[in-house]
Structures are given as structure tokens and as C-alpha cells.
Amino acid sequence: MDPGTLQTIRDVFERVMTDKAFIKAAADTKRPVHYTRGDDVQKLVNDVTGSPQEYVDLITKAYTG
């Protein structure tokens, strides 16, 4: 993905996820949000996918059954 496009998407997503009205609406419907920045998620994904295969398999099984 074009880095500029990715940054635009991340910026807009952050604005929505940190908007007080959005957070209140989510909490009111019992669907609270816990925002994590895109670059932090990317780092986590990179760390996990760089893990030994046995760890990747364990995480995959935890999410897929």
C-alpha cells in the first residue's frame, strides 16, 4: 500500500476511535473500544510473525480453534 494512503487511513481511524462522542456511543451500546495506534499494531504483528513457528502455531490455534 502506498505509505501516504496508509498514513491517511491511520489518521482518520485515530480521529474516529478517539472521538469522545464515538467512545460514548460505543460504551452506551456495551461495545467499548480500546484504540491502539496502527504503527503499534504493525510492530506487534511484525514481532509475532518473526517468532518461532511453534509460537505462531500456538497463537493461530488460539484464534482459529
Side-chain angles (χ1 to χ4, degrees), residues 1 7 10 14 16-18 20 26-27 29 32 34-35 37-39 43 48 50 59-60 62-63 65:
M1 176 179 290
Q7 191 58 53
R10 285 181 173 174
E14 181 175 3
V16 171
M17 297 299 289
T18 59
K20 291 180 193 270
T29 59
H34 304 283
Y35 172 68
R37 292 177 43 89
D39 52 347
K43 182 183 180 316
V48 169
I59 293 168
T60 300
Y63 282 99

Side-chain angles (χ1 to χ4, degrees), residues 47-64:
D47 289 348
V48 169
T49 58
S51 297
Q53 188 60 45
E54 64 187 281
Y55 296 148
V56 174
D57 293 343
L58 181 65
I59 293 168
T60 300
K61 184 176 181 184
Y63 282 99
T64 61

Side-chain angles (χ1 to χ4, degrees), residues 8-29:
T8 298
I9 292 169
R10 285 181 173 174
D11 290 346
V12 170
F13 188 71
E14 181 175 3
R15 276 186 254 148
V16 171
M17 297 299 289
T18 59
D19 179 78
K20 291 180 193 270
F22 176 77
I23 293 168
K24 183 180 181 325
D28 289 349
T29 59

